[in-house]
């Protein structure tokens, strides 16, 4: 079964672009518009955590921002799933915050589709 | 970007140039001069924050799925920078409304066969706003004119001045330089990816 990738971003165009790119490479993409929705999607996979291969999240989002979302995920049974932050933020201080929150990687937008696929295939075996 | 005090408006005037944006919760005027480029003004009337960007797409876009092309991604990036700054200032995306300006055919023969630049810019801005469900409440786009756009952030008011084609030579050359820069820019630099 194809591993599922959860994309959490408030931009529907960005989510559509990520879904198109990753589904072309055989991944199934789940979408959420902010951190709160992201946690809800994960809740639906309690007991079958291994179906989720990776989480990709934006930083600046309404309701729950990306860094809070990463910290919340780390408190759940989904804490072993790698999380890539995909954001326009590129300051070192922000990246350190991401690392401390528990993210596994940081990719600054705008990104090349091939680069996203390469990062995902590195994390999702 | 250039910030100065404007004695006529009795307000701080923030001038933005191609590729730039500005967002604020203060009582200011954001000003830009547009030829073929597009400026999108976003405003949150509840949180009283607003901003404007000024951008151009480097290439044509696919009408249906504009977000898949290099050009579409470039425009999305320009929009996201502005949206993120407004969110940081306390803005709430579902409150946003948009105004779109520019996309005039003023580059003329300056950049060869890229006569579709204004059309692409307009098409992108409208498609993006529709896709992101941000209501478009006003626009002044297309035609052969350049435009001066003043955005009064406190009351979200626009003052628009049209400039005759004969007066647009400096804008056209500035936009051509910007266009050539973004077309030849390397898309992704190495340091954009970090593993922890």
């Amino acid at each position: 079964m194809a591993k599922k990738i959860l994309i959490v971003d408030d931009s529907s165009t960005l989510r559509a672009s990520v879904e198109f790119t990753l589904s072309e490479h055989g991944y199934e993409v789940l979408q959420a518009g902010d951190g709160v929705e992201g946690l809800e999607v994960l809740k639906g996979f309690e007991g079958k955590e291994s179906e989720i291969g990776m989480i990709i999240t934006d930083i600046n989002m309404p309701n729950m921002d990306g860094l809070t979302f990463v910290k919340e995920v780390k408190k759940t049974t989904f804490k072993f799933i790698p999380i890539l932050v995909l954001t326009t933020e590129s300051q070192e201080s922000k990246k350190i915050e991401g690392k401390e929150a528990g993210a596994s990687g940081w990719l600054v937008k705008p990104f090349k589709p091939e680069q996203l696929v390469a990062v995902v295939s590195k994390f999702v075996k | 970007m250039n910030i100065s005090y404007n004695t006529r408006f009795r307000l701080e005037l923030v001038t933005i140039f191609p590729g730039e944006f500005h967002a604020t919760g203060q009582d200011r005027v954001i000003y830009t001069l547009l030829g073929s480029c597009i400026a999108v003004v976003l405003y949150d009337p509840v949180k009283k924050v607003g901003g404007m960007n000024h951008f151009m797409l480097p290439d044509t876009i696919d009408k249906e799925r504009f977000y898949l092309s290099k050009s579409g991604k470039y425009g999305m990036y320009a929009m996201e920078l502005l949206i993120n700054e407004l969110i940081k200032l306390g803005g709430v995306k579902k409150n946003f409304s948009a105004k779109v300006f520019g996309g005039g055919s003023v580059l003329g023969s300056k950049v060869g066969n890229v006569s579709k630049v204004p059309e692409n810019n307009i098409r992108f801005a409208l498609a993006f706003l529709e896709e992101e469900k941000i209501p478009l409440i006003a626009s002044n786009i297309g035609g052969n004119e350049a435009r001066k756009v003043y955005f009064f952030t406190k009351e979200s008011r626009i003052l628009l001045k049209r400039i005759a084609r004969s007066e647009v030579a400096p804008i056209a050359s500035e936009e051509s330089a910007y266009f050539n820069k973004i077309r030849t820019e390397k898309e992704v630099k190495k340091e954009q990816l970090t593993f922890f």
Side-chain angles (χ1 to χ4, degrees):
Chain A
M1 189 170 51
K3 282 273 190 183
K4 296 178 176 64
I5 313 284
L6 171 63
I7 169 75
V8 186
D9 198 305
D10 57 323
S11 163
S12 56
T13 46
L14 192 281
R15 294 199 305 270
S17 141
V18 167
E19 172 160 28
F20 184 87
T21 303
L22 294 181
S23 59
E24 262 196 326
H25 289 81
Y27 299 103
E28 190 181 323
V29 178
L30 307 168
Q31 298 190 18
D34 58 47
V36 175
E37 275 186 28
L39 290 173
E40 273 170 25
V41 172
L42 290 178
K43 223 170 190 176
F45 287 88
E46 273 174 6
K48 37 183 181 173
E49 286 81 355
S50 61
E51 287 188 24
I52 309 283
M54 188 175 176
I55 299 168
I56 301 169
T57 183
D58 187 18
I59 288 290
N60 298 298
M61 294 183 288
N63 301 323
M64 184 190 288
D65 69 85
L67 288 176
T68 310
F69 171 67
V70 174
K71 287 177 195 160
E72 290 299 316
V73 171
K74 293 294 159 184
K75 293 178 193 164
T76 69
T77 52
F78 298 91
K79 62 184 171 192
F80 300 110
I81 296 170
I83 304 178
L84 175 75
V85 174
L86 181 61
T87 176
T88 52
E89 304 281 354
S90 57
Q91 310 98 297
E92 279 309 307
S93 59
K94 276 277 173 195
K95 288 184 189 173
I96 291 166
E97 276 184 58
K99 185 183 176 183
E100 285 174 354
S104 308
W106 192 283
L107 180 59
V108 179
K109 295 173 190 172
F111 62 94
K112 266 186 182 170
E114 312 87 84
Q115 195 171 21
L116 182 68
V117 171
V119 177
V120 170
S121 62
K122 187 179 155 68
F123 283 118
V124 184
K125 302 288 178 200
Chain B
M1 192 165 67
N2 174 26
I3 304 179
S4 61
Y5 184 78
N6 185 284
T7 50
R8 188 179 139 216
F9 299 135
R10 294 184 184 170
L11 286 170
E12 262 188 332
L13 182 105
V14 182
T15 303
I16 59 169
F17 299 100
E20 295 184 338
F21 72 98
H22 182 71
T24 183
Q26 295 174 29
D27 188 5
R28 283 181 168 168
V29 184
I30 307 174
Y31 161 73
T32 203
L33 178 55
L34 296 163
S36 309
C37 286
I38 282 279
V40 177
V41 169
L42 294 179
Y43 185 69
D44 178 340
V46 181
K47 301 288 180 180
K48 306 244 183 275
V49 292
M52 177 162 77
N53 60 16
H54 178 150
F55 65 94
M56 177 193 279
L57 304 188
D59 223 323
T60 56
I61 58 163
D62 176 351
K63 207 176 195 171
E64 297 295 315
R65 289 192 291 202
F66 63 86
Y67 43 80
L68 297 179
S69 60
K70 180 189 166 195
S71 231
K73 286 195 169 68
Y74 193 90
M76 282 160 65
Y77 177 65
M79 289 305 301
E80 187 164 0
L81 289 176
L82 175 60
I83 291 170
N84 283 349
E85 197 58 32
L86 288 168
I87 291 175
K88 282 184 199 170
L89 290 167
V92 178
K93 201 175 164 187
K94 66 175 181 1
N95 298 339
F96 290 175
S97 59
K99 296 175 184 176
V100 177
F101 304 98
S105 299
V106 297
L107 284 177
S109 57
K110 290 223 171 233
V111 286
N113 60 349
V114 290
S115 58
K116 285 190 171 168
V117 166
E119 189 187 316
N120 267 308
N121 292 335
I122 293 170
R123 190 192 289 164
F124 166 79
L126 302 183
F128 178 89
L129 293 170
E130 192 182 340
E131 181 70 32
E132 296 286 348
K133 298 184 174 59
I134 300 175
L136 175 69
I137 57 170
S139 66
N140 192 298
I141 47 185
N144 290 325
E145 308 144 321
R147 296 165 171 91
K148 287 180 174 181
V149 179
Y150 299 84
F151 171 44
F152 294 79
T153 57
K154 192 183 175 189
E155 62 271 64
S156 183
R157 182 168 62 89
I158 297 288
L159 171 66
L160 186 127
K161 288 183 181 173
R162 292 181 182 82
I163 308 168
R165 196 171 177 152
S166 57
E167 294 171 42
V168 300
I171 310 165
S173 73
E174 188 181 75
E175 287 194 346
S176 291
Y178 170 59
F179 182 79
N180 291 329
K181 182 175 163 260
I182 58 176
R183 283 206 84 169
T184 52
E185 230 167 29
K186 284 211 172 103
E187 234 182 312
V188 174
K189 293 176 206 113
K190 218 176 181 180
E191 64 272 20
Q192 283 186 299
L193 177 61
T194 312
F195 289 112
F196 301 134

